[in-house]
Amino acid sequence: IVAEVNSDRSMAGTRPAIDRTALARRGVLALVLSLLANYGVLTVIPQAELVAAYEHLAYPPVTLWTTVGVVGATAVYGLLHRYVDDPDRAFVRLAVVALLVSFVPDIGLYLFDEEATAGAAAALAVLHVPPAVVCIAVLPERISERLV
């Protein structure tokens, strides 16, 4: 990603700023789709009796952390658009890395929280995937232009 930064530009950047209204619309769409997907997962988990009840597998924490992740992804895409030659490509790569890193806290919960089971940690990890996929599909300009 660092190699993609245009060396001819100053740190202030010379690339035209992204249309903030369009980015905000894509961010809101990504948030709504991510929340709907995660709510669907939260609905299926207890019905399928895949894991025992666990405090983190509930709507309030999932809503909070999904929102934080999608808002963060939207902001990162806006910054990449400003400073990177190919922001779509850089964003997809960074999103995949961020998804993999996002599993670390779930593993930590399993290792250090006596109430956490392997199933609960796995379910929490699964909840990271829909927002990542949605953000990759909705936020980048080249991809979202084909979808919308």
Side-chain angles (χ1 to χ4, degrees):
I1 294 172
V2 174
E4 294 178 22
V5 174
N6 186 339
S7 61
D8 295 336
R9 286 188 246 159
S10 68
M11 282 306 290
T14 57
R15 183 180 172 98
I18 192 167
D19 179 352
R20 290 182 180 165
T21 302
L23 179 61
R25 282 189 195 124
R26 293 196 312 266
V28 168
L29 177 60
L31 178 59
V32 169
L33 294 174
S34 295
L35 287 170
L36 288 173
N38 275 349
Y39 292 166
V41 172
L42 280 177
T43 302
V44 169
I45 289 171
Q47 290 177 353
E49 298 179 9
L50 297 174
V51 296
Y54 184 57
E55 67 180 320
H56 298 292
L57 289 171
Y59 290 98
V62 169
T63 300
L64 172 67
W65 295 114
T66 299
T67 302
V68 168
V70 173
V71 169
T74 304
V76 166
Y77 183 77
L79 289 171
L80 288 172
H81 188 276
R82 178 78 178 176
Y83 294 108
V84 175
D85 288 332
D86 189 350
D88 293 348
R89 182 176 172 183
F91 179 76
V92 170
R93 289 178 173 179
L94 190 57
V96 170
V97 170
L99 174 62
L100 295 174
V101 170
S102 77
F103 297 145
V104 172
D106 301 324
I107 295 167
L109 278 173
Y110 174 65
L111 294 174
F112 301 109
D113 184 346
E114 292 178 8
E115 295 179 20
T117 63
L124 286 169
V126 166
L127 288 166
H128 297 215
V129 177
V133 171
V134 167
C135 286
I136 288 170
V138 173
L139 293 177
E141 286 179 325
R142 280 185 286 186
I143 297 170
S144 63
E145 286 173 0
R146 289 185 235 154
L147 296 175
V148 179

